[in-house]
Coordinates of all heavy atoms in Angstrom, one line a residue:
I1428 N 102.8 88.1 96.8 CA 102.5 86.8 97.3 C 101.7 86.8 98.6 O 101.0 85.9 98.9 CB 103.7 85.8 97.4 CG1 104.8 86.4 98.3 CG2 104.2 85.4 96.0 CD1 105.8 85.4 98.8
V1429 N 102.0 87.9 99.4 CA 101.3 88.0 100.6 C 99.7 88.2 100.4 O 99.0 87.8 101.3 CB 101.9 89.3 101.4 CG1 101.1 89.7 102.6 CG2 103.3 88.9 101.8
G1430 N 99.3 88.6 99.3 CA 97.9 88.7 98.9 C 97.4 87.3 98.6 O 96.1 87.1 98.5
V1431 N 98.2 86.4 98.3 CA 97.8 85.0 98.0 C 97.8 84.1 99.3 O 96.9 83.4 99.6 CB 98.7 84.4 97.0 CG1 98.4 82.9 96.7 CG2 98.8 85.2 95.7
K1432 N 98.9 84.3 100.1 CA 99.0 83.4 101.2 C 98.9 84.0 102.6 O 98.8 83.3 103.6 CB 100.4 82.6 101.0 CG 101.6 83.0 101.9 CD 102.8 82.3 101.5 CE 103.3 81.4 102.7 NZ 103.6 82.1 103.9
G1433 N 98.8 85.3 102.7 CA 98.7 86.0 104.0 C 100.0 86.1 104.7 O 101.0 85.4 104.2
N1434 N 100.1 86.9 105.7 CA 101.4 87.0 106.4 C 101.1 87.6 107.8 O 100.5 88.7 107.9 CB 102.4 87.9 105.7 CG 103.8 87.7 106.1 OD1 104.1 86.7 106.8 ND2 104.7 88.6 105.9
A1435 N 101.5 87.0 108.9 CA 101.3 87.5 110.2 C 102.0 88.9 110.3 O 103.1 89.1 109.8 CB 101.9 86.6 111.2
G1436 N 101.3 89.9 110.8 CA 101.9 91.2 110.9 C 101.6 92.1 109.7 O 102.1 93.3 109.7
Q1437 N 100.9 91.6 108.7 CA 100.7 92.3 107.5 C 99.2 92.2 107.1 O 98.9 92.1 105.9 CB 101.6 91.9 106.4 CG 103.0 92.3 106.5 CD 103.8 92.2 105.2 OE1 103.8 91.1 104.6 NE2 104.5 93.3 104.8
S1438 N 98.3 92.2 108.0 CA 96.9 92.0 107.6 C 96.4 93.1 106.7 O 95.6 92.8 105.8 CB 96.0 91.8 108.9 OG 96.1 93.0 109.7
N1439 N 96.8 94.3 107.0 CA 96.4 95.4 106.1 C 96.9 95.3 104.7 O 96.2 95.4 103.7 CB 96.7 96.8 106.7 CG 98.2 96.9 107.1 OD1 99.0 95.9 107.0 ND2 98.6 98.1 107.6
Y1440 N 98.2 95.0 104.6 CA 98.9 94.9 103.3 C 98.4 93.7 102.6 O 98.1 93.7 101.4 CB 100.4 94.7 103.6 CG 101.3 94.6 102.4 CD1 101.7 95.8 101.7 CD2 101.9 93.4 102.0 CE1 102.5 95.7 100.6 CE2 102.7 93.4 100.9 CZ 103.0 94.5 100.2 OH 103.8 94.5 99.1
S1441 N 98.2 92.5 103.3 CA 97.7 91.3 102.7 C 96.3 91.5 102.1 O 96.0 91.1 101.0 CB 97.8 90.2 103.7 OG 97.1 89.1 103.3
A1442 N 95.5 92.2 102.9 CA 94.1 92.5 102.4 C 94.1 93.4 101.2 O 93.3 93.1 100.2 CB 93.3 93.1 103.5
S1443 N 95.0 94.4 101.2 CA 95.1 95.3 100.0 C 95.5 94.5 98.8 O 95.0 94.7 97.7 CB 96.0 96.4 100.3 OG 97.4 96.0 100.2
K1444 N 96.4 93.6 98.9 CA 97.0 92.8 97.7 C 96.0 91.7 97.3 O 95.8 91.5 96.1 CB 98.3 92.2 98.1 CG 99.4 93.3 98.3 CD 99.6 94.2 97.2 CE 100.8 95.2 97.4 NZ 101.0 96.1 96.2
A1445 N 95.3 91.1 98.3 CA 94.2 90.1 97.9 C 93.1 90.9 97.1 O 92.5 90.4 96.2 CB 93.7 89.5 99.1
G1446 N 92.8 92.1 97.6 CA 91.9 93.0 96.9 C 92.3 93.2 95.4 O 91.5 93.2 94.5
I1447 N 93.6 93.5 95.3 CA 94.1 93.8 93.9 C 93.9 92.5 93.0 O 93.6 92.6 91.8 CB 95.6 94.1 94.0 CG1 95.8 95.6 94.5 CG2 96.3 94.0 92.6 CD1 97.2 96.0 94.7
N1448 N 94.1 91.3 93.6 CA 94.0 90.1 92.8 C 92.5 89.9 92.3 O 92.3 89.6 91.2 CB 94.4 88.9 93.6 CG 95.9 88.9 93.9 OD1 96.6 89.8 93.4 ND2 96.3 88.1 94.8
G1449 N 91.6 90.2 93.2 CA 90.1 90.1 92.8 C 89.8 91.2 91.8 O 89.1 90.9 90.8
F1450 N 90.3 92.4 92.0 CA 90.1 93.5 91.1 C 90.6 93.1 89.7 O 89.9 93.3 88.7 CB 90.8 94.7 91.6 CG 90.6 96.0 90.8 CD1 89.4 96.7 90.7 CD2 91.7 96.5 90.1 CE1 89.3 97.8 90.0 CE2 91.6 97.6 89.3 CZ 90.3 98.3 89.3
T1451 N 91.8 92.6 89.7 CA 92.5 92.2 88.4 C 91.6 91.2 87.6 O 91.4 91.4 86.4 CB 93.9 91.6 88.7 OG1 94.7 92.5 89.4 CG2 94.6 91.2 87.4
K1452 N 91.2 90.2 88.3 CA 90.4 89.2 87.5 C 89.1 89.8 87.1 O 88.6 89.4 85.9 CB 90.1 88.0 88.5 CG 91.4 87.2 88.8 CD 91.1 86.1 89.8 CE 92.3 85.5 90.4 NZ 92.0 84.4 91.3
S1453 N 88.4 90.6 87.9 CA 87.1 91.2 87.5 C 87.3 92.1 86.3 O 86.4 92.1 85.4 CB 86.5 91.9 88.7 OG 86.3 91.0 89.8
I1454 N 88.3 92.9 86.3 CA 88.5 93.9 85.2 C 88.8 93.1 83.9 O 88.4 93.4 82.8 CB 89.7 94.9 85.5 CG1 89.3 95.7 86.7 CG2 90.0 95.7 84.3 CD1 88.0 96.5 86.6
A1455 N 89.6 92.0 84.0 CA 89.9 91.1 82.9 C 88.6 90.6 82.3 O 88.4 90.6 81.1 CB 90.8 90.0 83.3
L1456 N 87.7 90.2 83.1 CA 86.4 89.6 82.7 C 85.5 90.7 82.1 O 84.9 90.5 81.0 CB 85.7 88.9 83.8 CG 86.3 87.7 84.4 CD1 85.6 87.2 85.7 CD2 86.4 86.6 83.4
E1457 N 85.5 91.9 82.7 CA 84.7 93.0 82.2 C 85.1 93.5 80.9 O 84.3 93.9 80.0 CB 84.7 94.1 83.2 CG 83.6 94.0 84.3 CD 83.6 95.3 85.2 OE1 83.7 96.4 84.6 OE2 83.5 95.1 86.4
L1458 N 86.4 93.6 80.7 CA 87.0 94.4 79.6 C 87.7 93.6 78.5 O 88.1 94.2 77.5 CB 87.9 95.5 80.1 CG 87.2 96.5 81.0 CD1 88.2 97.6 81.5 CD2 86.0 97.3 80.3
G1459 N 87.7 92.3 78.6 CA 88.3 91.4 77.6 C 87.7 91.6 76.3 O 88.4 91.6 75.3
S1460 N 86.4 91.8 76.2 CA 85.7 91.9 74.9 C 86.1 93.2 74.2 O 85.9 93.3 73.0 CB 84.2 91.8 75.0 OG 83.8 92.9 75.8
R1461 N 86.7 94.1 74.9 CA 87.2 95.4 74.3 C 88.7 95.3 74.0 O 89.4 96.3 73.8 CB 87.0 96.6 75.2 CG 85.7 96.7 75.9 CD 84.6 97.0 74.9 NE 83.3 97.0 75.6 CZ 82.6 98.1 75.9 NH1 83.1 99.3 75.6 NH2 81.4 98.0 76.4
N1462 N 89.3 94.1 74.1 CA 90.7 93.9 73.9 C 91.6 94.7 74.9 O 92.7 95.1 74.6 CB 91.1 94.3 72.4 CG 92.5 93.8 72.1 OD1 92.9 92.7 72.5 ND2 93.2 94.5 71.3
I1463 N 91.0 94.8 76.1 CA 91.8 95.4 77.2 C 92.2 94.2 78.2 O 91.3 93.5 78.7 CB 91.0 96.4 78.0 CG1 90.6 97.6 77.0 CG2 91.8 97.0 79.2 CD1 89.6 98.5 77.6
R1464 N 93.5 94.0 78.3 CA 94.0 92.9 79.2 C 94.3 93.5 80.6 O 94.8 94.6 80.7 CB 95.2 92.3 78.6 CG 95.0 91.6 77.2 CD 96.2 91.0 76.6 NE 97.3 91.9 76.4 CZ 98.4 92.0 77.0 NH1 98.6 91.2 78.1 NH2 99.4 92.8 76.7
C1465 N 94.1 92.6 81.6 CA 94.5 93.1 83.0 C 95.1 91.9 83.7 O 94.5 90.8 83.8 CB 93.2 93.6 83.7 SG 93.6 94.2 85.3
N1466 N 96.3 92.0 84.1 CA 97.0 91.0 84.8 C 97.7 91.5 86.1 O 97.9 92.8 86.2 CB 98.1 90.4 83.9 CG 97.6 89.6 82.8 OD1 97.0 88.5 83.0 ND2 97.7 90.1 81.6
A1467 N 98.0 90.7 87.0 CA 98.8 91.1 88.2 C 100.1 90.3 88.3 O 100.1 89.1 88.0 CB 97.9 90.9 89.5
I1468 N 101.1 91.0 88.9 CA 102.3 90.3 89.2 C 102.4 90.2 90.7 O 102.2 91.3 91.4 CB 103.6 91.1 88.6 CG1 103.5 91.1 87.1 CG2 104.9 90.4 89.1 CD1 104.6 91.9 86.4
A1469 N 102.7 89.1 91.2 CA 102.8 88.9 92.7 C 104.2 88.6 93.1 O 104.7 87.4 93.1 CB 101.9 87.8 93.2
P1470 N 105.0 89.6 93.3 CA 106.4 89.4 93.7 C 106.5 88.8 95.1 O 105.6 89.0 95.9 CB 107.0 90.8 93.7 CG 106.1 91.7 93.0 CD 104.7 91.1 93.3
G1471 N 107.6 88.0 95.3 CA 107.9 87.5 96.6 C 108.8 88.5 97.3 O 108.4 89.7 97.4
F1472 N 110.0 88.1 97.8 CA 110.9 89.0 98.5 C 111.8 89.7 97.5 O 112.7 89.0 96.9 CB 111.6 88.3 99.5 CG 112.6 89.1 100.3 CD1 112.1 90.1 101.2 CD2 114.0 89.0 100.1 CE1 113.0 90.9 101.9 CE2 114.9 89.9 100.8 CZ 114.4 90.8 101.7
I1473 N 111.6 91.0 97.2 CA 112.5 91.7 96.3 C 113.2 92.8 97.0 O 112.7 93.5 97.8 CB 111.6 92.4 95.2 CG1 110.6 91.4 94.5 CG2 112.4 93.1 94.1 CD1 111.1 90.3 93.7
E1474 N 114.5 92.9 96.8 CA 115.3 93.9 97.5 C 115.1 95.3 97.1 O 115.4 95.7 95.9 CB 116.8 93.5 97.3 CG 117.2 92.4 98.2 CD 118.6 91.9 98.0 OE1 119.1 91.9 96.9 OE2 119.2 91.4 99.0
T1475 N 114.4 96.1 97.9 CA 114.1 97.5 97.7 C 114.1 98.2 99.0 O 114.2 97.6 100.0 CB 112.8 97.7 97.0 OG1 111.7 97.4 97.9 CG2 112.6 96.9 95.7
D1476 N 113.9 99.5 99.0 CA 113.7 100.3 100.3 C 112.7 99.7 101.1 O 112.8 99.6 102.4 CB 113.3 101.7 100.0 CG 114.5 102.5 99.5 OD1 115.6 102.0 99.4 OD2 114.3 103.7 99.3
M1477 N 111.6 99.2 100.5 CA 110.4 98.6 101.3 C 110.9 97.4 102.1 O 110.3 97.3 103.2 CB 109.3 98.2 100.3 CG 108.1 97.7 101.0 SD 106.8 97.3 99.8 CE 106.0 98.8 99.5
T1478 N 111.8 96.6 101.6 CA 112.2 95.4 102.4 C 113.5 95.6 103.2 O 113.9 94.7 103.9 CB 112.3 94.2 101.4 OG1 113.1 94.7 100.3 CG2 111.0 93.8 100.9
S1479 N 114.1 96.8 103.0 CA 115.4 96.9 103.7 C 115.3 97.2 105.2 O 116.3 97.1 105.9 CB 116.2 98.1 103.0 OG 115.5 99.3 103.3
K1480 N 114.1 97.5 105.7 CA 113.9 97.8 107.1 C 113.8 96.6 108.0 O 113.9 96.7 109.2 CB 112.5 98.6 107.3 CG 112.4 99.8 106.4 CD 110.9 100.3 106.4 CE 110.5 100.8 105.1 NZ 109.0 100.7 104.9
G1481 N 113.6 95.4 107.4 CA 113.4 94.2 108.2 C 114.5 93.7 109.1 O 115.7 94.2 108.9
D1482 N 114.2 92.9 110.0 CA 115.2 92.3 110.9 C 116.1 91.3 110.1 O 115.7 90.5 109.4 CB 114.3 91.5 112.0 CG 115.2 90.6 112.9 OD1 116.0 89.9 112.3 OD2 114.9 90.7 114.1
G1483 N 117.5 91.6 110.2 CA 118.4 90.8 109.4 C 118.3 89.3 109.5 O 118.3 88.6 108.5
K1484 N 118.2 88.8 110.7 CA 118.1 87.4 110.9 C 116.9 86.8 110.3 O 116.9 85.7 109.7 CB 118.2 87.1 112.5 CG 117.9 85.7 112.9 CD 119.2 84.8 112.6 CE 119.0 83.4 113.1 NZ 118.5 82.5 112.1
L1485 N 115.8 87.5 110.5 CA 114.5 87.1 109.9 C 114.6 87.0 108.4 O 114.1 86.0 107.8 CB 113.4 88.1 110.3 CG 112.0 87.6 110.6 CD1 112.0 86.7 111.9 CD2 111.0 88.7 110.7
L1486 N 115.2 88.0 107.8 CA 115.4 88.0 106.3 C 116.2 86.9 105.9 O 115.9 86.2 104.9 CB 116.0 89.4 105.9 CG 115.1 90.6 106.1 CD1 115.8 91.8 105.5 CD2 113.8 90.4 105.4
E1487 N 117.3 86.6 106.6 CA 118.2 85.4 106.3 C 117.4 84.1 106.3 O 117.5 83.3 105.4 CB 119.3 85.3 107.3 CG 120.6 86.0 106.9 CD 121.6 85.9 108.0 OE1 121.8 84.9 108.7 OE2 122.3 87.0 108.3
D1488 N 116.6 84.0 107.3 CA 115.8 82.7 107.4 C 114.8 82.6 106.3 O 114.6 81.6 105.7 CB 115.0 82.7 108.7 CG 115.9 82.5 109.9 OD1 117.1 82.2 109.7 OD2 115.4 82.7 111.1
W1489 N 114.2 83.8 105.9 CA 113.3 83.8 104.8 C 113.9 83.4 103.5 O 113.4 82.6 102.7 CB 112.6 85.2 104.7 CG 111.2 85.1 104.2 CD1 110.4 84.0 104.0 CD2 110.4 86.2 103.6 NE1 109.2 84.3 103.4 CE2 109.2 85.6 103.2 CE3 110.6 87.6 103.5 CZ2 108.2 86.4 102.6 CZ3 109.6 88.3 102.9 CH2 108.4 87.8 102.5
I1490 N 115.1 84.0 103.3 CA 115.8 83.7 102.0 C 116.2 82.2 102.0 O 116.1 81.6 100.9 CB 117.1 84.6 101.9 CG1 116.6 86.0 101.6 CG2 118.1 84.1 100.8 CD1 117.7 87.1 101.6
E1491 N 116.5 81.6 103.1 CA 116.9 80.2 103.2 C 115.7 79.3 102.8 O 115.8 78.3 102.2 CB 117.3 79.9 104.6 CG 118.0 78.5 104.8 CD 119.0 78.1 103.8 OE1 119.8 79.0 103.3 OE2 118.9 77.0 103.3

Side-chain angles (χ1 to χ4, degrees):
I1428 54 161
V1429 169
V1431 177
K1432 103 182 242 303
N1434 199 20
Q1437 288 198 306
S1438 58
N1439 51 358
Y1440 185 77
S1441 170
S1443 74
K1444 296 300 186 179
I1447 288 178
N1448 295 349
F1450 180 73
T1451 300
K1452 292 179 193 178
S1453 301
I1454 297 306
L1456 293 173
E1457 272 185 44
L1458 298 177
S1460 63
R1461 317 287 178 106
N1462 195 35
I1463 299 168
R1464 298 182 296 109
C1465 185
N1466 291 291
I1468 297 177
F1472 179 71
I1473 308 296
E1474 281 174 329
T1475 67
D1476 283 1
M1477 185 179 273
T1478 48
S1479 65
K1480 306 165 216 153
D1482 171 313
K1484 172 78 176 87
L1485 212 71
L1486 293 184
E1487 264 175 43
D1488 290 349
W1489 206 16
I1490 288 172
E1491 194 43 44

